[in-house]
């Protein structure tokens, strides 16, 4: 049996930090409200000349260094992003050239905040099918570029960053199962309602950003993530007590706490980065994973449950023997 196993993780956050106190000077909000409703204290924001591929490259190099893998060794690169550098070439192609991985398959995946879990599921299937030995999977975002910095209901939530993993074919257990879902019925609850092929004029006026009915998204997210926990454990024949670490999408501590409760996991077994990173969309899960691997909390052999929920709606989970 061939498994896809994580052999290296990496992360990168841009230097500039925007605190809740900074936001108090930009919109009518306050630190106490943001902390209480979201758990967020600060977020990182890209510099003027930085873009998504710049963040992705640093995270990728860090993961590759740990895995002992060079660009020429890669068979596949998948970048999960909602904020690509260009319409095309894909961010994965731009990154591939920088890493000297020219020739391998490279493409982007767009599933908003669930993007990394989707990309992990796709890469895992490439590896299990044979032929692909080493894959680089990245979640990278510059969400600050699609945030309306005058809208207090959204601008306090998001941040920029990138996280990466190297996956390699292995006889040792690694990714045990991935569960992916989407439901396009409620696309109006969370969207950026313009693009290349629709409402383009609005885009060109520069006036269209993330729009969200936060309260409604919150309720759907809590219910959906509760269901996916059951689905994942049942598929693997595991009990709640078999999970060592929850590595959730970092949107809001209250949503994360509800999922941990469903799992019966104390918050000490949940990797929380939302306070320092904010919601970095597709980057949030691999960034959190990298933090907990590097600080020694996550050890080889631990069972991890990764989960995410985002625009689309999309949602998914991955059960991993690290
Ligand atoms: N500062 C201060 N007050 C704010 C505020 C801010 N930044 N943003 C909104 N408010 C106000 C609202 O205007 C509202 O005031 P009103 O009652 O006078 O109308 C009040 O706070 C409550 O707003 P509400 O939207 O009901 O708050 P909430 O408890 O639902 O928290 C979110 C808002 C966005 C934090 C929460 O809904 C959430 O986290 N939703 C999910 C978001 C998410 O995860 N999105 C991404 C999915 S990947």
């Amino acid at each position: 049996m061939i498994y896809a196993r994580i052999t290296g993780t990496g992360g990168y956050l841009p230097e500039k930090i925007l605190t809740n106190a900074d936001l108090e000077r930009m919109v009518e909000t306050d630190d106490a409200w943001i902390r209480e409703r979201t758990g967020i204290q600060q977020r990182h924001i890209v510099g003027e000349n930085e873009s998504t591929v710049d963040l992705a490259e640093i995270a990728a190099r860090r993961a590759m260094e740990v895995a002992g893998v060079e660009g020429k060794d890669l068979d596949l690169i998948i970048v999960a992003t909602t904020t690509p550098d260009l319409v095309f070439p894909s961010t994965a192609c731009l990154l591939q050239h920088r890493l000297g991985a020219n020739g391998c398959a490279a493409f982007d995946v767009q599933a908003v905040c669930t993007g990394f879990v989707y990309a992990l599921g796709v890469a895992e299937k490439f590896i299990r099918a044979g032929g692909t030995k080493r894959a680089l999977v990245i979640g990278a975002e510059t969400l600050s570029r699609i945030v309306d910095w005058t809208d207090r209901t959204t601008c306090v939530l998001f941040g920029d960053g990138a996280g990466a993993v190297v996956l390699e074919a292995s006889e040792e257990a690694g990714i045990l199962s991935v569960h992916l879902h989407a439901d396009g019925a409620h696309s109006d609850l969370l969207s950026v309602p313009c693009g290349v092929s629709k409402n383009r004029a609005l885009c060109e006026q520069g006036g269209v950003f993330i729009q969200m009915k936060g309260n409604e998204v919150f309720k759907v997210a809590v219910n959906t993530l509760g269901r996916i926990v059951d689905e994942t454990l049942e598929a693997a024949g595991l009990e709640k007590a078999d999970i060592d670490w929850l590595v959730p999408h970092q949107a809001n501590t209250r949503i994360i706490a509800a999922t941990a409760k469903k799992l019966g996991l104390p918050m000490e077994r949940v990797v929380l980065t939302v306070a320092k990173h904010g919601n970095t969309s597709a980057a949030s899960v691999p960034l959190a994973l990298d933090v907990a691997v590097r600080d020694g909390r996550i050890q080889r052999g631990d069972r991890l449950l990764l989960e995410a929920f985002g625009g689309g709606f999309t949602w998914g989970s991955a059960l991993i023997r690290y």
Side-chain angles (χ1 to χ4, degrees):
M1 175 92 135
I2 307 174
Y3 289 97
R5 190 161 175 265
I6 295 175
T7 55
T9 67
Y12 178 68
L13 293 157
E15 262 171 49
K16 184 181 164 193
I17 290 174
L18 190 71
T19 63
N20 291 351
D22 295 328
L23 281 164
E24 284 176 358
R25 290 187 283 276
M26 293 161 65
V27 288
E28 201 186 322
T29 190
D30 61 88
D31 175 51
W33 190 96
I34 302 172
R35 280 177 195 248
E36 190 196 307
R37 303 289 177 114
T38 72
I40 300 169
Q41 298 166 16
Q42 61 169 57
R43 64 291 289 145
H44 291 249
I45 304 292
V46 274
E48 219 172 287
N49 299 317
E50 267 178 316
S51 66
T52 297
V53 74
D54 297 321
L55 312 189
E57 182 183 356
I58 300 173
R61 287 191 187 281
R62 289 178 177 170
M64 289 163 68
E65 190 184 347
V66 175
V69 162
E70 291 179 31
K72 63 177 173 41
D73 305 323
L74 294 170
D75 304 310
L76 172 68
I77 298 175
I78 309 180
V79 176
T81 186
T82 305
T83 46
D85 280 43
L86 308 168
V87 172
F88 71 84
S90 67
T91 307
C93 285
L94 302 177
L95 177 66
Q96 184 218 47
H97 181 56
R98 289 191 182 189
L99 296 176
N102 307 59
C104 75
F107 57 91
D108 288 1
V109 159
Q110 216 285 46
V112 201
C113 299
T114 319
F116 177 79
V117 180
Y118 264 71
L120 197 72
V122 173
E124 185 245 356
K125 279 156 194 67
F126 266 79
I127 288 177
R128 287 185 95 139
T132 298
K133 298 267 180 279
R134 289 187 194 88
L136 178 63
V137 183
I138 296 163
E141 301 280 15
T142 46
L143 279 192
S144 62
R145 300 263 154 80
I146 54 167
V147 162
D148 177 353
W149 291 103
T150 65
D151 174 9
R152 71 174 182 170
T153 67
T154 53
C155 75
V156 301
L157 304 174
F158 299 101
D160 300 330
V165 300
V166 173
L167 283 185
E168 295 191 58
S170 168
E171 284 174 10
E172 263 180 79
I175 296 179
L176 304 173
S177 68
V178 180
H179 305 261
L180 303 175
H181 297 281
D183 182 354
H186 304 292
S187 53
D188 56 316
L189 295 184
L190 178 55
S191 69
V192 177
C194 79
V196 180
S197 181
K198 191 166 175 171
N199 301 339
R200 189 162 171 173
L202 284 175
C203 253
E204 281 163 1
Q205 287 157 19
V208 179
F209 303 101
I210 296 176
Q211 294 183 5
M212 180 174 68
K213 295 190 175 122
N215 218 306
E216 290 170 61
V217 173
F218 186 93
K219 286 180 211 145
V220 184
V222 169
N223 289 331
T224 309
L225 290 170
R227 282 204 310 276
I228 207 161
V229 163
D230 289 337
E231 179 189 338
T232 313
L233 292 176
E234 208 178 300
L238 293 179
E239 302 292 324
K240 290 173 181 175
D242 296 325
I243 301 298
D244 296 305
W245 292 100
L246 176 65
V247 187
H249 170 50
Q250 310 282 325
N252 183 311
T253 20
R254 290 184 296 148
I255 298 176
I256 296 172
T259 312
K261 193 170 168 203
K262 175 91 194 174
L263 267 170
L265 268 186
M267 289 306 275
E268 300 82 64
R269 307 304 288 178
V270 179
V271 182
L272 274 176
T273 53
V274 66
K276 301 286 179 214
H277 299 182
N279 179 349
T280 58
S281 191
S284 98
V285 170
L287 266 169
L289 177 66
D290 182 57
V291 165
V293 165
R294 282 179 193 260
D295 69 20
R297 272 178 290 171
I298 292 180
Q299 295 286 323
R300 283 281 168 210
D302 284 353
R303 274 208 197 88
L304 320 179
L305 180 64
L306 277 49
E307 50 85 345
F309 178 90
F313 289 131
T314 55
W315 62 100
S317 66
L319 186 67
I320 295 174
R321 166 80 80 173
Y322 184 69

PDB file of all heavy atoms in Angstrom, residues 16-30:
ATOM      1  N   LYS A  16       5.090  42.901   8.194  1.00  0.00           N
ATOM      2  CA  LYS A  16       4.236  43.958   8.772  1.00  0.00           C
ATOM      3  C   LYS A  16       3.079  43.366   9.587  1.00  0.00           C
ATOM      4  O   LYS A  16       2.357  42.500   9.108  1.00  0.00           O
ATOM      5  CB  LYS A  16       3.668  44.825   7.644  1.00  0.00           C
ATOM      6  CG  LYS A  16       2.870  45.994   8.154  1.00  0.00           C
ATOM      7  CD  LYS A  16       2.297  46.833   7.052  1.00  0.00           C
ATOM      8  CE  LYS A  16       1.214  47.727   7.610  1.00  0.00           C
ATOM      9  NZ  LYS A  16       0.409  48.349   6.580  1.00  0.00           N
ATOM     10  N   ILE A  17       2.947  43.853  10.805  1.00  0.00           N
ATOM     11  CA  ILE A  17       1.866  43.393  11.685  1.00  0.00           C
ATOM     12  C   ILE A  17       0.840  44.509  11.858  1.00  0.00           C
ATOM     13  O   ILE A  17       1.204  45.667  12.086  1.00  0.00           O
ATOM     14  CB  ILE A  17       2.436  42.976  13.059  1.00  0.00           C
ATOM     15  CG1 ILE A  17       3.254  41.688  12.905  1.00  0.00           C
ATOM     16  CG2 ILE A  17       1.332  42.784  14.089  1.00  0.00           C
ATOM     17  CD1 ILE A  17       3.974  41.267  14.175  1.00  0.00           C
ATOM     18  N   LEU A  18      -0.425  44.160  11.717  1.00  0.00           N
ATOM     19  CA  LEU A  18      -1.508  45.115  11.941  1.00  0.00           C
ATOM     20  C   LEU A  18      -2.249  44.657  13.194  1.00  0.00           C
ATOM     21  O   LEU A  18      -2.847  43.576  13.217  1.00  0.00           O
ATOM     22  CB  LEU A  18      -2.445  45.104  10.730  1.00  0.00           C
ATOM     23  CG  LEU A  18      -3.506  46.196  10.665  1.00  0.00           C
ATOM     24  CD1 LEU A  18      -2.877  47.559  10.381  1.00  0.00           C
ATOM     25  CD2 LEU A  18      -4.529  45.866   9.576  1.00  0.00           C
ATOM     26  N   THR A  19      -2.182  45.467  14.255  1.00  0.00           N
ATOM     27  CA  THR A  19      -2.811  45.071  15.522  1.00  0.00           C
ATOM     28  C   THR A  19      -4.250  45.583  15.578  1.00  0.00           C
ATOM     29  O   THR A  19      -4.670  46.426  14.765  1.00  0.00           O
ATOM     30  CB  THR A  19      -2.047  45.669  16.723  1.00  0.00           C
ATOM     31  OG1 THR A  19      -2.158  47.104  16.615  1.00  0.00           O
ATOM     32  CG2 THR A  19      -0.588  45.265  16.720  1.00  0.00           C
ATOM     33  N   ASN A  20      -4.972  45.102  16.585  1.00  0.00           N
ATOM     34  CA  ASN A  20      -6.337  45.612  16.783  1.00  0.00           C
ATOM     35  C   ASN A  20      -6.300  47.113  17.098  1.00  0.00           C
ATOM     36  O   ASN A  20      -7.196  47.860  16.698  1.00  0.00           O
ATOM     37  CB  ASN A  20      -7.021  44.856  17.929  1.00  0.00           C
ATOM     38  CG  ASN A  20      -7.316  43.409  17.562  1.00  0.00           C
ATOM     39  OD1 ASN A  20      -7.164  43.023  16.405  1.00  0.00           O
ATOM     40  ND2 ASN A  20      -7.744  42.621  18.534  1.00  0.00           N
ATOM     41  N   ALA A  21      -5.248  47.541  17.785  1.00  0.00           N
ATOM     42  CA  ALA A  21      -5.128  48.978  18.101  1.00  0.00           C
ATOM     43  C   ALA A  21      -4.959  49.780  16.811  1.00  0.00           C
ATOM     44  O   ALA A  21      -5.527  50.875  16.669  1.00  0.00           O
ATOM     45  CB  ALA A  21      -3.931  49.204  19.029  1.00  0.00           C
ATOM     46  N   ASP A  22      -4.201  49.237  15.841  1.00  0.00           N
ATOM     47  CA  ASP A  22      -4.072  49.915  14.542  1.00  0.00           C
ATOM     48  C   ASP A  22      -5.445  50.040  13.874  1.00  0.00           C
ATOM     49  O   ASP A  22      -5.774  51.071  13.295  1.00  0.00           O
ATOM     50  CB  ASP A  22      -3.149  49.112  13.601  1.00  0.00           C
ATOM     51  CG  ASP A  22      -1.713  49.042  14.107  1.00  0.00           C
ATOM     52  OD1 ASP A  22      -1.275  50.014  14.749  1.00  0.00           O
ATOM     53  OD2 ASP A  22      -1.039  48.014  13.849  1.00  0.00           O
ATOM     54  N   LEU A  23      -6.233  48.955  13.967  1.00  0.00           N
ATOM     55  CA  LEU A  23      -7.560  48.972  13.318  1.00  0.00           C
ATOM     56  C   LEU A  23      -8.500  49.972  13.978  1.00  0.00           C
ATOM     57  O   LEU A  23      -9.360  50.554  13.320  1.00  0.00           O
ATOM     58  CB  LEU A  23      -8.174  47.563  13.343  1.00  0.00           C
ATOM     59  CG  LEU A  23      -7.626  46.627  12.262  1.00  0.00           C
ATOM     60  CD1 LEU A  23      -7.964  45.178  12.575  1.00  0.00           C
ATOM     61  CD2 LEU A  23      -8.155  47.005  10.886  1.00  0.00           C
ATOM     62  N   GLU A  24      -8.316  50.165  15.296  1.00  0.00           N
ATOM     63  CA  GLU A  24      -9.158  51.155  16.000  1.00  0.00           C
ATOM     64  C   GLU A  24      -8.995  52.536  15.381  1.00  0.00           C
ATOM     65  O   GLU A  24      -9.895  53.366  15.440  1.00  0.00           O
ATOM     66  CB  GLU A  24      -8.770  51.208  17.486  1.00  0.00           C
ATOM     67  CG  GLU A  24      -9.288  50.044  18.300  1.00  0.00           C
ATOM     68  CD  GLU A  24      -8.806  50.097  19.741  1.00  0.00           C
ATOM     69  OE1 GLU A  24      -8.038  51.019  20.108  1.00  0.00           O
ATOM     70  OE2 GLU A  24      -9.203  49.189  20.515  1.00  0.00           O
ATOM     71  N   ARG A  25      -7.796  52.777  14.797  1.00  0.00           N
ATOM     72  CA  ARG A  25      -7.551  54.083  14.170  1.00  0.00           C
ATOM     73  C   ARG A  25      -8.084  54.147  12.735  1.00  0.00           C
ATOM     74  O   ARG A  25      -8.099  55.198  12.120  1.00  0.00           O
ATOM     75  CB  ARG A  25      -6.044  54.400  14.187  1.00  0.00           C
ATOM     76  CG  ARG A  25      -5.516  54.687  15.600  1.00  0.00           C
ATOM     77  CD  ARG A  25      -4.079  55.155  15.585  1.00  0.00           C
ATOM     78  NE  ARG A  25      -3.149  54.064  15.377  1.00  0.00           N
ATOM     79  CZ  ARG A  25      -2.687  53.273  16.361  1.00  0.00           C
ATOM     80  NH1 ARG A  25      -3.055  53.481  17.613  1.00  0.00           N
ATOM     81  NH2 ARG A  25      -1.860  52.294  16.102  1.00  0.00           N
ATOM     82  N   MET A  26      -8.496  52.992  12.188  1.00  0.00           N
ATOM     83  CA  MET A  26      -8.941  52.947  10.792  1.00  0.00           C
ATOM     84  C   MET A  26     -10.459  52.876  10.650  1.00  0.00           C
ATOM     85  O   MET A  26     -11.043  53.421   9.733  1.00  0.00           O
ATOM     86  CB  MET A  26      -8.311  51.726  10.097  1.00  0.00           C
ATOM     87  CG  MET A  26      -6.799  51.848   9.964  1.00  0.00           C
ATOM     88  SD  MET A  26      -5.981  50.250   9.664  1.00  0.00           S
ATOM     89  CE  MET A  26      -6.629  49.794   8.079  1.00  0.00           C
ATOM     90  N   VAL A  27     -11.113  52.108  11.548  1.00  0.00           N
ATOM     91  CA  VAL A  27     -12.575  51.962  11.501  1.00  0.00           C
ATOM     92  C   VAL A  27     -13.121  52.029  12.923  1.00  0.00           C
ATOM     93  O   VAL A  27     -12.352  51.975  13.880  1.00  0.00           O
ATOM     94  CB  VAL A  27     -12.997  50.598  10.859  1.00  0.00           C
ATOM     95  CG1 VAL A  27     -12.757  50.563   9.372  1.00  0.00           C
ATOM     96  CG2 VAL A  27     -12.314  49.420  11.560  1.00  0.00           C
ATOM     97  N   GLU A  28     -14.473  52.112  13.027  1.00  0.00           N
ATOM     98  CA  GLU A  28     -15.061  52.203  14.360  1.00  0.00           C
ATOM     99  C   GLU A  28     -15.144  50.801  14.963  1.00  0.00           C
ATOM    100  O   GLU A  28     -16.098  50.045  14.728  1.00  0.00           O
ATOM    101  CB  GLU A  28     -16.458  52.817  14.248  1.00  0.00           C
ATOM    102  CG  GLU A  28     -16.930  53.408  15.548  1.00  0.00           C
ATOM    103  CD  GLU A  28     -18.364  53.879  15.451  1.00  0.00           C
ATOM    104  OE1 GLU A  28     -18.738  54.418  14.392  1.00  0.00           O
ATOM    105  OE2 GLU A  28     -19.091  53.673  16.438  1.00  0.00           O
ATOM    106  N   THR A  29     -14.106  50.422  15.664  1.00  0.00           N
ATOM    107  CA  THR A  29     -14.079  49.099  16.293  1.00  0.00           C
ATOM    108  C   THR A  29     -13.266  49.202  17.577  1.00  0.00           C
ATOM    109  O   THR A  29     -12.734  50.272  17.881  1.00  0.00           O
ATOM    110  CB  THR A  29     -13.451  48.062  15.344  1.00  0.00           C
ATOM    111  OG1 THR A  29     -13.642  46.756  15.883  1.00  0.00           O
ATOM    112  CG2 THR A  29     -11.948  48.273  15.113  1.00  0.00           C
ATOM    113  N   ASP A  30     -13.213  48.117  18.334  1.00  0.00           N
ATOM    114  CA  ASP A  30     -12.315  48.154  19.491  1.00  0.00           C
ATOM    115  C   ASP A  30     -11.748  46.779  19.763  1.00  0.00           C
ATOM    116  O   ASP A  30     -12.347  45.754  19.419  1.00  0.00           O
ATOM    117  CB  ASP A  30     -13.006  48.753  20.728  1.00  0.00           C
ATOM    118  CG  ASP A  30     -14.197  47.962  21.142  1.00  0.00           C
ATOM    119  OD1 ASP A  30     -14.040  47.020  21.917  1.00  0.00           O
ATOM    120  OD2 ASP A  30     -15.309  48.279  20.644  1.00  0.00           O
TER     121      ASP A  30
END
